[in-house]
Amino acid sequence: MEDIDLRFLQTTGEEGEEAPLSSSEILKTTCKIYGIIFLVLFCLYLIVRDRYPSIYNIKKSYEKLNTPIADDFFGPLSWMWKVFQVPYEDIIVQCGMDAATTIRLLEFGVKLSCVGILCSAFLFPAYKYGDTLEATGNVTDPMDALSLSNVPSGDNSTIATTFAAYIMFGSAMFFIVKDLEWFQKHRRQFLSKTQPSNYTAYMSGLPQDLQNDDALDAFFAEQNTNVVESRVALKIPNLEKEAAEREALVPKFEHAINVRVVKGEEPTHKTKMCPCGAEKVESIPTYDKELAELNEDIGKSIDKITAMQSARNAGDAENPSKEAAADEGTETPPDKEGAAADVADAFESSESKKKSGVASFTSSIKA
């Protein structure tokens, strides 16, 4: 009795049951379901894209983020091919090197997918019209006939599969080499630009006696380095919190004044919930009082920080005042000489990569 390839036998199961769907039927059903979903979502995107530009074109919608590359929003459909015409040089300059690298990585995946599609041009015929056509000629489903499952074990048609694998691996390595060359070229160009981010070194853990601008300048001058400028960044969460509260209060105050001027009525609002419930108060006097208190608190915080910095610059950084030190939360590292040596070593390491530039150093000063 001749051998029968059990892969191509289909049974109807118990009486009355329908035969399982073929590969072609499964593919058709899948394309119908997901194709309809795709078309609906694509049409919805075309509608909301123009209606809500602040979501789909952030750089054009906000003045601080605006760039020339974002001014052209393209047409409802022309964006699908015009976005590929934007040169990488413009993307790097206006959006940053990270954005260009991410797009290049996505482009790598598209290229590799196209290679796989091209490989199918010779794989499909090899699977269907291989030299074992007689052994698998009973396959009636076209999708099964075009797949690797149509090739029996040991058939010469698998040579085409091996050849396709080498094409995929070779193409991937070729694209990676080209992308590395592209990255090295554009990365060097990007770092050679005279912008502060390319010539700035950030450090933490400065010793107490280097936590002021004058001391830092003197330190780097002694090291014979090419530092153009050095600044100590302050960590001032309290002042930032007070400034944020004032920034949120000002629009409310201005709105209340506009209501009085335009409508001729005194605006009111409810205070925050308290155990006895919310209290309804006049908005303008309340906001005016709160704004005055915030301005006073912000002024005191700025004066406190300025006094501390002046004391450090004057050389009295060891003990400016117990009260100021307590308020600022400054902590002295246990080993000043070791910390200073770490600063010098770290700068020498960055100096070997950057011949000149700005050195900006951060310390853990709290306010």
Side-chain angles (χ1 to χ4, degrees):
M1 188 174 183
E2 296 182 357
D3 294 334
I4 300 177
D5 196 335
L6 298 179
R7 295 174 303 163
F8 307 112
L9 293 179
Q10 293 184 350
T11 59
T12 58
E14 297 180 1
E15 185 177 356
E17 290 186 358
E18 295 182 359
L21 295 175
S22 64
S23 298
S24 296
E25 292 172 335
I26 293 175
L27 181 61
K28 291 178 181 179
T29 304
T30 302
C31 290
K32 288 179 181 178
I33 295 175
Y34 291 101
I36 293 173
I37 294 176
F38 169 77
L39 289 176
V40 171
L41 293 179
F42 182 73
C43 294
L44 182 62
Y45 168 74
L46 295 180
I47 296 173
V48 299
R49 176 178 177 268
D50 291 329
R51 186 164 296 183
Y52 303 101
S54 60
I55 298 177
Y56 297 98
N57 193 352
I58 299 177
K59 285 184 173 291
K60 184 178 180 180
S61 304
Y62 297 94
E63 184 178 354
K64 293 182 179 180
L65 301 176
N66 184 258
T67 56
I69 200 175
D71 289 339
D72 193 350
F73 202 35
F74 304 122
L77 296 176
S78 62
W79 60 267
M80 288 188 287
W81 61 84
K82 285 188 176 180
V83 292
F84 296 101
Q85 300 174 3
V86 180
Y88 274 110
E89 287 72 16
D90 292 346
I91 297 176
I92 293 173
V93 172
Q94 302 177 35
C95 303
M97 188 67 187
D98 292 342
T101 305
T102 302
I103 296 174
R104 187 78 179 189
L105 183 62
L106 297 175
E107 187 178 299
F108 167 79
V110 174
K111 292 177 180 177
L112 206 58
S113 299
C114 291
V115 173
I117 295 173
L118 292 176
C119 287
S120 64
F122 65 86
L123 286 176
F124 287 163
Y127 294 155
K128 184 173 183 179
Y129 302 109
D131 54 8
T132 55
L133 182 61
E134 183 178 350
T136 59
N138 60 336
V139 177
T140 58
D141 187 87
M143 289 306 302
D144 288 337
L146 295 175
S147 66
L148 186 60
S149 62
N150 188 42
V151 180
S153 177
D155 185 71
N156 292 331
S157 298
T158 55
I159 297 176
T161 307
T162 305
F163 183 62
Y166 277 104
I167 291 178
M168 289 292 295
F169 297 150
S171 300
M173 290 186 287
F174 175 78
F175 293 147
I176 290 174
V177 170
K178 289 298 181 182
D179 283 346
L180 286 176
E181 293 176 354
W182 175 91
F183 179 77
Q184 291 175 354
K185 173 185 175 182
H186 289 82
R187 183 63 175 169
R188 290 193 186 101
Q189 292 177 352
F190 183 77
L191 292 177
S192 64
K193 295 177 180 178
T194 55
Q195 55 189 28
S197 61
N198 292 341
Y199 299 93
T200 304
Y202 296 91
M203 301 191 66
S204 60
L206 290 176
Q208 187 78 14
D209 55 352
L210 291 181
Q211 292 184 6
N212 67 81
D213 299 338
D214 295 340
L216 270 181
D217 290 336
F219 173 80
F220 288 120
E222 294 175 359
Q223 303 298 322
N224 295 322
T225 58
N226 293 326
V227 174
V228 177
E229 185 181 25
S230 59
R231 289 290 181 267
V232 176
L234 300 179
K235 193 174 183 180
I236 47 176
N238 292 339
L239 179 58
E240 291 175 351
K241 179 181 177 182
E242 293 168 351
E245 291 177 356
R246 182 176 65 177
E247 186 176 353
L249 181 61
V250 169
K252 296 179 181 178
F253 189 26
E254 293 175 346
H255 175 71
I257 295 175
N258 289 335
V259 170
R260 174 195 280 179
V261 173
V262 175
K263 296 185 178 180
E265 59 185 37
E266 192 66 29
T268 59
H269 70 278
K270 292 184 178 180
T271 59
K272 294 182 179 180
M273 294 297 293
C274 58
C276 58
E279 180 183 0
K280 195 171 185 179
V281 296
E282 293 184 355
S283 298
I284 293 179
T286 303
Y287 290 150
D288 188 24
K289 180 182 178 181
E290 293 178 2
L291 187 60
E293 293 175 352
L294 283 173
N295 286 332
E296 183 179 358
D297 293 339
I298 291 174
K300 290 180 179 179
S301 297
I302 293 176
D303 292 340
K304 187 189 304 179
I305 295 171
T306 303
M308 186 197 69
Q309 287 295 92
S310 299
R312 292 179 186 276
N313 293 334
D316 190 21
E318 291 294 335
N319 187 19
S321 70
K322 293 183 179 180
E323 181 180 358
D327 290 338
E328 298 301 331
T330 305
E331 298 180 359
T332 304
D335 185 4
K336 296 182 182 178
E337 295 181 358
D342 291 341
V343 172
D345 294 341
F347 183 79
E348 289 176 2
S349 175
S350 63
E351 181 73 9
S352 62
K353 300 179 181 178
K354 306 178 183 71
K355 296 300 181 182
S356 63
V358 181
S360 177
F361 297 87
T362 59
S363 62
S364 300
I365 302 175
K366 300 178 181 179

